[in-house]
Amino acid sequence: MQDNSKIILDVDTGTDDAMAIILAMRALKDRLMAITVTHGNQPLPCTLENTLRVVELMGGGVPVYGGMGVPMVQDLMPGRFGFQRHQRYTQDIDGKPVSVHDPYLPLPEATLKPEPQHAVSFLVETLRNAKEPITIVAVGPASNLGMALRMDPDIDKSIKQIIIMGGGDRDVNITSAAEMNFYKDPEAAHIMVHARCPIVIFPLDATTSIVFREEDAGKIRALNHPWTDFYADLLLHFIERLRLLGIAYKDDPNDFAMAMHDVFCILYLLDPSFVVDIRRRNVDVDFGGNFCDGRMVVESRVYIPLEGDVQVVYQLDKDKAMSMLLDILA
Ligand code: RIB
Ligand code: CA
């Protein structure tokens, strides 16, 4: 049956978040109730401004709520960050800090303003009063949703499903054990994956199972719209940044390609057939600090009973995903 549930998209706009917003506003605008913003790829002031800039590029009409600028509790205990081997995510190059995601996206300063209400209170109030269950798409650190679920655990009764980009079973990025979104607020991620509603997780195992390169940017740019020009520029810029920072793709130190992480949560809502390997699993997130802080722990022992309704995606189909992208962006 066609899913017409309203959608709340939670982002930490950065490059792939911007791509996800573009796709959502192209293909799901009638369902897109709001965009909530959290810290993550950059501090909240940057992620909020970037979100407003992309929404404005796409014609506006979707309210944007600023949310958590810090994790729930992770940063309260500095000793927690010991012994971690971090990805070279930001480096000083020619005396300037260079990150994978720039502080500000190359778009005009936003004239749109965020809603006055805090994202967390918006989530609680909206879910408490929802007449129909709402779909949550979470593609940044889970601080907003984690706080909302702490404020009122029963709001998950009004959540139709949570589609998450986060975590890594075999694949990681920000540390030897963790993926960025789950690492940036492990407690919130753990709370989120234990919400009592259907959950689909796109970990790095899935989002890096297909990658996009210069030739894909050419196909997108050939669609010849302002948003496809911008999308193609984002893709090329991201690959260049990975090359500059030496963040190679998988096992070839000289291969630089973009995994469009957040985008797949939007594609999944439109047509899940590009997902070719998805498994129901018990999932937890470690928040013990040190080596494994933020690690997604996937239960692999088949004799352990399944507890929730959590599905973990492991493999995507590139041709199908690219075809969907070109259809949506056309
Ligand atoms: O690890 C990838 C995730 O972290 C993506 O959501 C990216 O936008 C960053 O937030
Ligand atoms: Ca993100």
Side-chain angles (χ1 to χ4, degrees):
M1 189 170 85
Q2 176 72 20
D3 175 4
N4 291 312
S5 60
K6 290 299 182 189
I7 298 165
I8 296 174
L9 173 59
D10 193 70
V11 297
D12 63 326
T13 308
T15 305
D16 55 326
D17 306 74
M19 293 172 167
I21 294 168
I22 290 169
L23 295 175
M25 292 191 72
R26 288 287 299 156
L28 293 165
K29 187 156 183 191
D30 57 321
R31 293 177 55 195
L32 187 57
M33 181 180 202
I35 300 176
T36 52
V37 187
T38 183
H39 66 98
N41 283 314
Q42 286 290 339
L44 178 66
C46 299
T47 58
L48 182 54
E49 169 65 17
N50 287 332
T51 302
L52 292 165
R53 290 186 184 185
V54 180
V55 170
E56 193 151 356
L57 170 73
M58 299 310 290
V62 177
V64 175
Y65 293 81
M68 295 287 286
V70 291
M72 290 178 70
V73 293
Q74 185 193 40
D75 58 345
L76 300 180
M77 194 169 60
R80 175 169 175 169
F81 297 101
F83 315 120
Q84 293 163 7
R85 195 175 294 112
H86 271 255
Q87 184 185 57
R88 297 167 298 170
Y89 189 74
T90 298
Q91 292 174 39
D92 266 340
I93 295 180
D94 301 334
K96 281 195 308 179
V98 176
S99 297
V100 171
H101 299 265
D102 287 332
Y104 292 103
L105 291 170
L107 287 170
E109 197 171 323
T111 60
L112 291 178
K113 298 297 177 211
E115 299 302 311
Q117 187 176 19
H118 192 285
V120 175
S121 62
F122 165 77
L123 283 165
V124 172
E125 184 182 302
T126 302
L127 289 166
R128 272 179 173 169
N129 300 316
K131 299 283 184 292
E132 295 293 330
I134 294 171
T135 293
I136 306 281
V137 179
V139 297
S143 307
N144 288 333
L145 190 55
M147 287 292 285
L149 285 163
R150 284 275 100 176
M151 279 175 74
D152 182 352
D154 287 338
I155 57 173
D156 58 8
K157 292 193 175 74
S158 299
I159 299 176
K160 183 173 181 69
Q161 60 178 340
I162 308 175
I163 317 293
I164 299 168
M165 191 283 137
D169 189 354
R170 294 179 304 272
D171 292 287
V172 291
N173 57 12
I174 192 73
T175 68
S176 319
E179 174 279 330
M180 162 94 138
N181 288 339
F182 281 16
Y183 176 78
K184 285 262 184 179
D185 198 335
E187 282 83 356
H190 184 74
I191 291 163
M192 175 174 65
V193 300
H194 285 276
R196 296 159 299 177
C197 59
I199 293 172
V200 176
I201 302 175
F202 283 77
L204 292 172
D205 308 70
T207 65
T208 63
S209 68
I210 61 174
V211 286
F212 297 81
R213 303 171 189 279
E214 289 79 354
E215 59 270 24
D216 299 309
K219 291 174 189 166
I220 291 167
R221 193 182 304 282
L223 295 172
N224 203 22
H225 298 294
W227 59 86
T228 49
D229 241 8
F230 178 63
Y231 198 111
D233 288 346
L234 284 178
L235 175 46
L236 293 174
H237 179 71
F238 198 84
I239 294 170
E240 269 322 295
R241 270 298 151 83
L242 294 175
R243 184 174 283 113
L244 184 65
L245 296 170
I247 301 175
Y249 172 56
K250 298 273 183 185
D251 307 325
D252 177 351
N254 300 308
D255 184 10
F256 301 94
M258 179 177 189
M260 285 187 196
H261 306 294
D262 300 344
V263 156
F264 304 123
C265 294
I266 303 300
L267 296 188
Y268 183 79
L269 285 177
L270 291 161
D271 173 359
S273 63
F274 74 103
V275 168
V276 296
D277 181 0
I278 183 167
R279 307 169 202 174
R280 193 162 162 222
R281 289 287 187 270
N282 293 333
V283 172
D284 298 291
V285 181
D286 184 77
F287 46 87
N290 295 324
F291 282 121
C292 289
D293 210 22
R295 177 160 186 77
M296 176 171 88
V297 181
V298 180
E299 179 58 78
S300 57
R301 297 168 295 173
V302 294
Y303 52 82
I304 299 291
L306 288 167
E307 290 152 15
D309 178 4
V310 180
Q311 299 188 83
V312 182
V313 179
Y314 282 93
Q315 181 66 46
L316 308 179
D317 177 316
K318 163 77 183 276
D319 292 341
K320 174 72 177 165
M322 187 65 188
S323 158
M324 287 178 71
L325 275 176
L326 295 174
D327 286 350
I328 295 165
L329 293 169

